[in-house]
Amino acid sequence: MNCLKIICLSFCPPVNPNFEEYLEGQYLFEANQLLIDREKHLFGEITEADAIKAHEEAVKKLAADYEALEKRIEQTVQHSLSLSSEETVPALISAVKAINLEEEQDQLWRQKCWTPPAWRPKKWKEHHDKVLHELVYSRLENPSSPTGDQENQSPIQADVQSMGRQLKEDMEWVVEEVKNCYPPEMDICNFYARQYHQTFKARLKQIADSVLDDKDCSFLLRWVKEFYPGILEKPELASNINTEELGNLLPDELLKPLEEQYLSKQQSDLMIFIDRVLDEAKKEWDQGKEPTRDDGCYVSPVAYDVIQVEDPHKAQKITSNLTDFMQRYQHFHEDIIRQNKPHSKAFIKANLSCVKQFRDFLVDRDLFPEDVRKNCLPVLTEMKQSAHTYLLTPVHKILKPHYKKLGTSDWLKKNTFKKLLNSTEEELQELQGSSQSSYQELIGQLYQEMTVEYVQRLQKGKIKLKDSIQQQKAYETVKENAEKLHELFAKMGSKQDWLKEILTKIAEVLKLQDIPAIQMQIVSLGSAYPDLSEKHVSALLKLKTNLSKADRKIVKTTLSDTLKESRADPGTRKFFSKVEVR
């Protein structure tokens, strides 16, 4: 309690403070208000002729105080990326408010018809932007973040990786802490993102303009095409930054020569190279080593060492044996799963990232003949599915005791589903280790499988909802479960919003008492998911024991008629076909 009093006292302004006391206590906004009041007294409340005759010493003192305040605000802004104590955050908030207040005062003076003070306009916002630009430049020029494997890196690789890590850490700090010190209209996250992007871009452009050896060339390409976009894709950054307006790190005139250099190196010994990439991965596997980690994700060189090229003519040369390579890669992948060693999960997570890279390379870029895609894409699909099954099967095994309580009398108790959520969150943490996009796909499948399990358990009919009160309780439970489950998966990066909608629609069916209303809700569900069958509807309606057999038949007939009349879009998601009904 005494500590709280001390902290509180350190942030409370003194009684009737003067400018110096405000400045000393880091109350920069309040200090600024005092100076503006003095300025108004000297220059604003009397005529221009009288203002010129104002006391010269008072004007000089005001100018000196403004200079002292500006210096203190500049120092505060310079420490934006190292807010290490309770004092510095309020100081930055106060500094930002003072800067905006000065912008308003500059605008007021522009609207007046008499001569402003010598220090007007002050342009503190413009100076603030310049200070932050210089701050970003200095942090990337002298990064504090150590690299992971500096001894085995060239000076260029160490330089690029240090800058990249500093950029990542600083931008995470901006969205976590600095953003809260600025009003939304200043859009500070995007401002910082532009500064870091332009500074990093300029440095990489200098590096790309120089003569690079093959390893540095490959490393630079990987940063431009994989690591940097991966940083921006992280949910905490992507939700605060407009990544599209940042543009590419390197212009085409610099990127293409790097690709040419990379390709010329690979063409001479392509088959030896591809064999060596896979052999190196197998060697690490046989030795019991886990793949290396970068930014918390397991990484494998298998994909990025093969797909650094974008030109169609070059791609034809470098992928002439891609089909054979994919098949051998799949055999290695399946062998890892079959042996199920302690480090198997780490390798499979690394492989998932590689599979995603290969798939994007084949699908998103029109570089390959149709037969290459036709042969390779099914292999990649099988690899991804086997990886998902391998990683998710143990999760379902752990969650099974919680699944068993769904759709039972215990299920209506809040703590029952909460235990399932807690266990799921622990497993979601354990599943991390792939690239962000691969992890999103993995947990997206888990989310879908859990939703299928939920509906399946519900439709087993272990609980009977005898009247509207019980049905209202079941509605509230399913709706809350849907929201909590979606909230958990969304927090971890899942984009599968449609799964929440399914459970919500089912909850509505449980609540409704009027047959026409139930018909409309079932039609809505069947239209959205045409794989909904009469068996699914029957199992769901049987939970509502106050519905007669005739009523259930009416609802099922309505669904049947609706599905006959409508043509299912081939792109419509399938869900209920995965839900078994006994």
Side-chain angles (χ1 to χ4, degrees):
M1 191 70 181
N2 291 334
C3 293
L4 289 173
K5 287 181 179 178
I6 292 170
I7 292 172
C8 180
L9 288 171
S10 68
F11 287 101
C12 296
V15 180
N16 299 322
N18 57 30
F19 171 75
E20 287 74 16
E21 289 172 326
Y22 270 142
L23 197 64
E24 183 64 28
Q26 295 282 64
Y27 301 103
L28 307 180
F29 174 68
E30 290 78 4
N32 190 216
Q33 287 179 312
L34 284 184
L35 298 190
I36 288 176
D37 289 342
R38 284 161 58 187
E39 183 178 272
K40 287 178 181 178
H41 176 72
L42 289 171
F43 295 93
E45 297 178 355
I46 46 182
T47 65
E48 183 181 5
D50 290 334
I52 294 171
K53 296 175 184 177
H55 195 282
E56 186 176 338
E57 288 301 317
V59 173
K60 284 182 180 179
K61 179 69 169 66
L62 181 57
D65 286 348
Y66 261 124
E67 187 175 335
L69 177 60
E70 184 171 2
K71 184 176 180 181
R72 184 64 63 89
I73 287 176
E74 180 177 326
Q75 291 171 346
T76 303
V77 172
Q78 284 172 339
H79 288 88
S80 295
L81 299 178
S82 53
L83 304 177
S84 56
S85 72
E86 291 97 340
E87 294 181 2
T88 48
V89 172
L92 181 57
I93 294 173
S94 189
V96 171
K97 288 172 67 178
I99 290 168
N100 287 327
L101 186 61
E102 278 301 307
E103 286 292 294
E104 294 174 9
Q105 194 66 10
D106 280 347
Q107 186 61 33
L108 288 173
W109 272 107
R110 290 188 191 100
Q111 295 169 0
K112 293 179 180 180
C113 56
W114 58 77
T115 305
W119 51 81
R120 290 288 172 197
K122 298 202 71 61
K123 300 182 179 180
W124 277 7
K125 174 63 169 61
E126 184 179 311
H127 185 58
H128 161 273
D129 293 352
K130 182 181 177 183
V131 169
L132 289 189
H133 173 77
E134 292 171 353
L135 173 63
V136 168
Y137 179 83
S138 68
R139 289 181 77 84
L140 290 192
E141 279 292 298
N142 304 286
S144 60
S145 300
T147 59
D149 190 18
Q150 200 161 4
E151 289 184 4
N152 297 321
Q153 291 180 325
S154 71
I156 286 177
Q157 292 171 20
D159 188 22
V160 171
Q161 186 156 328
S162 292
M163 286 192 293
R165 285 181 180 275
Q166 188 70 61
L167 179 152
K168 172 184 170 293
E169 291 173 6
D170 285 354
M171 282 308 305
E172 287 175 346
W173 184 253
V174 168
V175 300
E176 289 171 8
E177 299 290 344
V178 177
K179 180 182 74 171
N180 301 322
C181 299
Y182 284 77
E185 60 270 17
M186 290 187 76
D187 198 16
I188 194 65
C189 293
N190 276 308
F191 178 82
Y192 267 105
R194 288 190 296 270
Q195 300 307 310
Y196 274 103
H197 181 84
Q198 293 302 325
T199 305
F200 196 36
K201 179 178 180 177
R203 186 70 186 95
L204 293 192
K205 187 176 179 182
Q206 289 177 345
I207 293 172
D209 269 331
S210 62
V211 178
L212 299 176
D213 66 26
D214 294 322
K215 287 185 178 180
D216 287 345
C217 171
S218 175
F219 189 84
L220 191 59
L221 278 173
R222 194 178 180 201
W223 259 99
V224 170
K225 295 183 177 183
E226 180 186 349
F227 285 155
Y228 182 66
I231 290 171
L232 299 181
E233 285 174 4
K234 289 186 172 296
E236 61 270 23
L237 296 186
S239 60
N240 287 281
I241 295 171
N242 184 349
T243 55
E244 289 185 5
E245 76 170 14
L246 296 177
N248 298 323
L249 266 182
L250 285 180
D252 286 344
E253 61 267 22
L254 288 177
L255 194 58
K256 287 181 179 178
L258 291 176
E259 292 175 347
E260 290 281 357
Q261 179 181 346
Y262 183 88
L263 179 70
S264 64
K265 166 65 179 170
Q266 306 312 320
Q267 285 176 345
S268 61
D269 55 356
L270 178 60
M271 286 311 298
I272 298 173
F273 169 74
I274 288 180
D275 286 339
R276 178 171 54 80
V277 169
L278 203 50
D279 287 343
E280 284 295 321
K282 288 179 179 178
K283 184 179 177 182
E284 288 195 353
W285 161 254
D286 290 337
Q287 291 175 347
K289 294 180 180 178
E290 285 194 348
T292 56
R293 278 181 179 262
D294 188 272
D295 192 24
C297 297
Y298 292 108
V299 294
S300 167
V302 175
Y304 71 76
D305 271 355
V306 179
I307 60 173
Q308 296 288 350
V309 182
E310 295 186 0
D311 182 83
H313 178 65
K314 303 170 191 173
Q316 298 299 320
K317 295 179 181 179
I318 203 168
T319 58
S320 58
N321 293 283
L322 187 59
T323 302
D324 177 62
F325 169 78
M326 287 292 183
Q327 290 172 345
R328 288 187 290 119
Y329 187 30
Q330 184 183 26
H331 290 323
F332 172 50
H333 175 80
E334 297 300 337
D335 197 40
I336 293 171
I337 292 175
R338 182 181 58 78
Q339 294 188 42
N340 193 26
K341 293 182 178 179
H343 59 308
S344 286
K345 284 186 179 180
F347 265 86
I348 294 303
K349 288 174 182 179
N351 283 356
L352 264 180
S353 301
C354 289
V355 166
K356 181 70 166 63
Q357 287 175 290
F358 276 129
R359 174 171 284 280
D360 291 346
F361 191 56
L362 286 165
V363 174
D364 296 343
R365 305 173 194 172
D366 190 19
L367 299 176
F368 308 98
E370 189 59 32
D371 63 317
V372 173
R373 296 194 206 197
K374 190 175 179 181
N375 290 329
C376 292
L377 287 175
V379 173
L380 293 172
T381 299
E382 289 174 10
M383 289 179 69
K384 182 178 90 167
Q385 195 52 54
S386 65
H388 282 191
T389 301
Y390 177 71
L391 294 172
L392 296 182
T393 298
V395 175
H396 289 302
K397 187 175 181 180
I398 290 170
L399 298 180
K400 189 173 181 179
H402 301 296
Y403 290 157
K404 287 182 176 180
K405 295 185 179 180
L406 296 174
T408 67
S409 56
D410 285 343
W411 160 66
L412 295 176
K413 301 171 184 175
K414 288 188 178 181
N415 64 330
T416 298
F417 194 75
K418 187 177 181 182
K419 289 177 182 177
L420 173 59
L421 286 177
N422 291 341
S423 294
T424 303
E425 185 167 13
E426 290 176 9
E427 294 308 309
L428 286 172
Q429 299 283 354
E430 287 295 319
L431 288 174
Q432 290 179 330
S434 300
S435 65
Q436 185 64 32
S437 55
S438 298
Y439 178 67
Q440 284 179 354
E441 288 184 351
L442 177 64
I443 66 172
Q445 179 159 332
L446 176 60
Y447 188 7
Q448 183 170 346
E449 290 175 359
M450 287 186 68
T451 307
V452 167
E453 185 72 32
Y454 188 101
V455 175
Q456 208 159 269
R457 296 277 176 176
L458 191 62
Q459 294 197 340
K460 282 185 176 182
K462 289 186 177 181
I463 189 170
K464 301 300 180 183
L465 308 172
K466 298 178 181 179
D467 52 35
S468 61
I469 296 174
Q470 290 183 346
Q471 290 166 21
Q472 175 69 26
K473 174 64 175 174
Y475 157 76
E476 292 169 358
T477 300
V478 175
K479 189 170 182 293
E480 183 181 358
N481 291 172
E483 289 170 352
K484 293 294 184 183
L485 195 61
H486 176 263
E487 184 181 302
L488 172 60
F489 275 91
K491 181 179 74 172
M492 300 304 291
S494 172
K495 307 293 184 185
Q496 305 290 338
D497 297 343
W498 62 284
L499 293 167
K500 174 186 172 184
E501 178 189 317
I502 289 175
L503 294 183
T504 303
K505 285 180 180 290
I506 288 174
E508 289 288 342
V509 173
L510 296 178
K511 177 181 73 169
L512 295 171
Q513 300 298 311
D514 187 46
I515 296 300
I518 295 174
Q519 286 176 290
M520 289 179 62
Q521 191 64 24
I522 291 295
V523 166
S524 172
L525 192 59
S527 299
Y529 305 97
D531 59 342
L532 177 70
S533 69
E534 288 187 30
K535 285 185 177 180
H536 293 117
V537 174
S538 181
L540 182 60
L541 294 180
K542 280 182 179 179
L543 297 175
K544 300 163 70 75
T545 57
N546 59 346
L547 279 183
S548 67
K549 187 174 182 180
D551 288 338
R552 293 201 301 270
K553 186 175 181 180
I554 291 171
V555 176
K556 287 189 289 182
T557 302
T558 304
L559 172 68
S560 178
D561 293 343
T562 300
L563 294 179
K564 285 176 184 176
E565 293 172 5
S566 63
R567 291 184 178 180
D569 182 350
T572 303
R573 286 192 179 100
K574 293 186 186 251
F575 176 82
F576 287 95
S577 55
K578 299 180 177 69
V579 179
E580 294 181 8
V581 182
R582 294 179 182 178

